[in-house]
Amino acid sequence: MKEKIRQIEESAEKELVNSKNAKELDDLRIKYLGKKGELTQVLRGMKDLSAEERPIIGGIVNKLRDKLEQIIKEKEQQFEIEKLQEKIENEKIDITLPSTKVKRGSKHPLNRVIEDIEDLFVSMGYDVVGGPELETDEYCFERLNLPKDHPARDMQDSFYITSEYLLRTQTSSVQARVMESNEEKTPIRIICPGKTYRREDDATHSHQFNQVEGLVIDENITLAHLKGTLEVFVRRMLGEKSKLRFRPSYFPFTEPSYEVDVSCFKCGGSGCNLCKQTGWIEILGAGMVHPNVLKMNGYNPEKYGGFAFGTGLDRLAMFRYGITDMRYLYKNDVRFLNQFSQFER
Ligand code: DAH
C-alpha cells in the first residue's frame, strides 16, 4: 500500500509541476483527487486494512492530498499571472504609430467675415443685436420712412407672406426696432448682422443673402463720424490701402444718403475686370439718419442725430476670399469650405 502511495506521489507531483495550462491541471486534479481519482481509490481500499495500519496509511494519504492541493493552488496562481501577462501583451498600444487623421471642419467664410466685423465694432463700443427674419411691413418699411405707396419700395423685390408679414429685405428693419425698444431714448451704437431675402437669383445675387447694419444715435453726430467709421471698417475688411468715395444717392431712411465705393483692391485703382475698368467698387449704402425716422421711433430730432450704414456680407466675403459665384456660399460643398481653413480669419 505504502509503495502504491509513493508511486502516486511521484507521478502526481511530476505531472502537476509539468502541467502547461489550467485545463491540464484540472484534468490532473480529477485524475488524482477526483471521485474516481487514484488517491481516492487508495482511501477506499483502506477498509481492507487492519485497525493498526488504517490511521497510519490514512495520515500518509491525507498529507499527500494536502501536498498535491498545495501544488495545484500554486500552479493555478502561476497560470493566472501568465494569462494576465499575455492579455497585457496582446492589448499593448503602440503610441508611436501615426494616428488615423481626424477630419476637421472649417469656419464658413461668411462666419469668418461676420466674426471679424463683430470683433471690430465691439472694440469700438458697439453692441451686436439681432432681429426677426420674418418681419412686419411696419418695421421693414413704414418706420423707415417708406409709407405703403412709396415708389422706393420697388427697389426691393420682397417675399410677402401675408399683406402685413414679409421676409425682411434689409437689416435696416432692426434700426426701427432698436430705436423703438430703447425706452429711455439714450444714445445707440449697434451693428446687426443677419439674413435678408429678395426675389433674385443669379451669380451675384441670391434670394437669401446677408447684410450687416450699423446705427449710431447721439448728440452732435456728423458726417465726419460716419466717414471715419466706414474707413476703419472697410480697411479692416479689404486692406489698409483702401480709399473710400462717397457718391450722393437716395435711401428713404437717411438724408443725405450715399453710396460708398472702395478703391479696387485687385488693381489698386488703375482699372481691371473686377472694377470694370473704373478703379472703384460699390460696397455700401449709408447716410445721416432721416429726422422722420428718429421722430417715428421716439427720438427727438432737435436733440439727436445719427448715422447708419448697411452692406452685403456675401459680397464682402467674395471680395475678401476671391470667390467668383455667390451661390458657392450656400451649397455647403466641403471641397469649397475646406479651402478656408488656411485663413486666420
Ligand atoms: N438697406 C439698404 C439696402 O439694403 C442699405 C442701406 C443704405 C442701409 C443706407 C443703411 C443706410 O443703413 O443708411 O440696400
Side-chain angles (χ1 to χ4, degrees):
M1 194 97 183
K2 276 191 192 157
E3 178 54 22
K4 174 92 179 130
I5 295 171
R6 205 194 53 74
Q7 274 171 13
I8 293 176
E9 178 171 11
E10 198 178 312
S11 66
E13 207 174 333
K14 201 164 118 202
E15 283 185 85
L16 283 173
V17 169
N18 288 336
S19 67
K20 288 190 194 63
N21 53 46
K23 169 89 176 68
E24 266 183 45
L25 189 67
D26 209 44
D27 289 346
L28 290 170
R29 185 211 314 274
I30 293 164
K31 179 176 172 191
Y32 291 106
L33 304 176
K35 255 191 202 155
K36 290 179 187 157
E38 291 183 24
L39 209 57
T40 320
Q41 297 296 346
V42 173
L43 280 172
R44 292 230 170 97
M46 284 205 343
K47 62 179 185 307
D48 303 327
L49 296 177
S50 66
E52 297 85 60
E53 267 181 321
R54 220 177 279 162
I56 300 169
I57 298 296
I60 295 173
V61 171
N62 282 339
K63 231 165 110 187
L64 177 56
R65 194 176 50 206
D66 290 349
K67 185 176 170 185
L68 295 183
E69 274 171 357
Q70 181 61 29
I71 295 175
I72 290 171
K73 207 165 132 192
E74 281 166 17
K75 283 297 274 190
E76 270 173 355
Q77 279 169 358
Q78 180 197 328
F79 291 146
E80 204 57 40
I81 292 169
E82 279 174 11
K83 204 166 118 191
L84 187 68
Q85 246 150 14
E86 193 183 300
K87 201 169 162 208
I88 292 172
E89 197 60 32
N90 288 340
E91 290 175 5
K92 202 154 76 176
I93 295 169
D94 184 352
I95 56 163
T96 65
L97 281 174
S99 64
T100 42
K101 267 228 155 68
V102 178
K103 276 204 181 135
R104 286 177 49 189
S106 63
K107 250 182 223 164
H108 194 283
L110 271 174
N111 286 335
R112 288 172 190 273
V113 168
I114 291 173
E115 281 175 22
D116 196 21
I117 294 173
E118 288 179 353
D119 282 352
L120 174 67
F121 279 95
V122 166
S123 79
M124 298 197 290
Y126 286 60
D127 284 333
V128 178
V129 302
E133 288 170 33
L134 182 59
E135 188 50 283
T136 59
D137 187 273
E138 181 188 350
Y139 287 100
C140 203
F141 297 127
E142 282 187 46
R143 279 175 179 269
L144 293 173
N145 203 25
L146 267 127
K148 284 227 155 65
D149 54 352
H150 199 290
R153 284 194 179 209
D154 293 344
M155 284 162 74
Q156 304 181 352
D157 282 321
S158 318
F159 282 118
Y160 272 90
I161 308 296
T162 66
S163 59
E164 191 47 37
Y165 281 92
L166 72 159
L167 295 175
R168 70 178 175 198
T169 56
Q170 50 184 358
T171 43
S172 305
S173 56
V174 178
Q175 288 191 25
R177 287 192 170 272
V178 171
M179 279 189 249
E180 190 203 37
S181 65
N182 183 356
E183 282 169 14
E184 289 85 30
K185 303 301 166 200
T186 47
I188 290 173
R189 235 183 285 172
I190 58 109
I191 58 160
C192 170
K195 293 195 183 80
T196 44
Y197 303 83
R198 286 182 206 177
R199 287 193 281 125
E200 301 176 294
D201 194 9
D202 61 50
T204 49
H205 296 94
S206 148
H207 60 277
Q208 183 217 284
F209 53 105
N210 290 266
Q211 288 191 335
V212 62
E213 194 77 15
L215 174 70
V216 170
I217 307 271
D218 208 338
E219 292 176 49
N220 306 318
I221 295 291
T222 69
L223 186 57
H225 295 119
L226 172 62
K227 285 181 117 174
T229 305
L230 291 184
E231 220 162 67
V232 171
F233 175 32
V234 171
R235 288 188 176 155
R236 168 81 164 248
M237 287 293 115
L238 299 173
E240 288 303 317
K241 292 208 185 89
S242 304
K243 285 199 217 68
L244 292 188
R245 182 173 79 171
F246 283 63
R247 276 184 293 108
S249 183
Y250 172 76
F251 295 102
F253 32 88
T254 42
E255 181 58 37
S257 299
Y258 303 92
E259 271 170 322
V260 183
D261 300 336
V262 59
S263 52
C264 181
F265 38 84
K266 192 170 169 198
C267 63
S270 57
C272 67
N273 58 346
L274 184 67
C275 60
K276 302 195 183 84
Q277 312 304 329
T278 64
W280 296 95
I281 295 173
E282 185 201 323
I283 52 158
L284 274 153
M288 305 308 288
V289 179
H290 198 293
N292 285 352
V293 174
L294 289 168
K295 224 183 298 173
M296 268 188 280
N297 295 295
Y299 276 81
N300 176 5
E302 302 295 325
K303 185 177 174 204
Y304 280 116
F307 66 74
F309 58 88
T311 185
L313 294 172
D314 309 76
R315 258 162 56 88
L316 268 187
M318 288 169 78
F319 291 153
R320 190 170 194 176
Y321 299 115
I323 300 164
T324 48
D325 188 329
M326 183 182 277
R327 288 168 293 197
Y328 281 131
L329 292 173
Y330 297 101
K331 287 196 172 143
N332 283 338
D333 184 331
V334 285
R335 291 169 303 178
F336 168 74
L337 295 175
N338 279 344
Q339 296 175 55
F340 298 93
S341 37
Q342 60 180 300
F343 292 101
E344 206 181 306
R345 282 202 293 254

